[in-house]
Amino acid sequence: VSYEDFKAGGGVEYSKDTDVGVNMSFWDNLNSTKANQMRVDAADALFKKKYPDMPSETELPPPPCDFDLKKFFPDGTPTEENPAVDRLNRIRSGKQ
């Protein structure tokens, strides 16, 4: 399916309002550590399949971190969760 067909069929990769996609689940739970690890594992498996002789993510040393917390969050780190999390959990449990 092309991206154009996906979109024409009502597909949405990810909605920040609901924290899920439509006709796609890859980006669901965007801020979930477990879901993020599953995405990294999926990408690593695809890389291994396409480039079997190259080292995988788990075989490489960690890259140096140059993240500047104060530059990225000049007003301090956020303390609020995505408000859609509660709604999503209700939808998933069938308690809309």
Side-chain angles (χ1 to χ4, degrees), residues 12 22 32 78 87 94:
V12 176
V22 176
S32 163
R87 180 171 178 254

Side-chain angles (χ1 to χ4, degrees), residues 18-39:
T18 60
D19 196 34
V20 295
V22 176
N23 300 329
M24 175 184 279
S25 59
F26 187 80
W27 295 111
D28 291 4
N29 301 310
L30 190 65
N31 293 309
S32 163
T33 300
K34 183 178 178 180
N36 284 330
Q37 186 60 56
M38 290 172 60
R39 286 186 274 272

Side-chain angles (χ1 to χ4, degrees), residues 9-67:
V12 176
E13 289 181 68
Y14 176 78
S15 167
K16 67 180 179 179
D17 294 330
T18 60
D19 196 34
V20 295
V22 176
N23 300 329
M24 175 184 279
S25 59
F26 187 80
W27 295 111
D28 291 4
N29 301 310
L30 190 65
N31 293 309
S32 163
T33 300
K34 183 178 178 180
N36 284 330
Q37 186 60 56
M38 290 172 60
R39 286 186 274 272
V40 168
D41 293 345
D44 193 48
L46 286 172
F47 183 88
K48 285 179 190 177
K49 185 176 179 179
K50 184 165 178 115
Y51 304 103
D53 298 328
M54 298 288 290
S56 71
E57 184 266 338
T58 58
E59 298 166 325
L60 295 171
C65 179
D66 62 355
F67 179 71

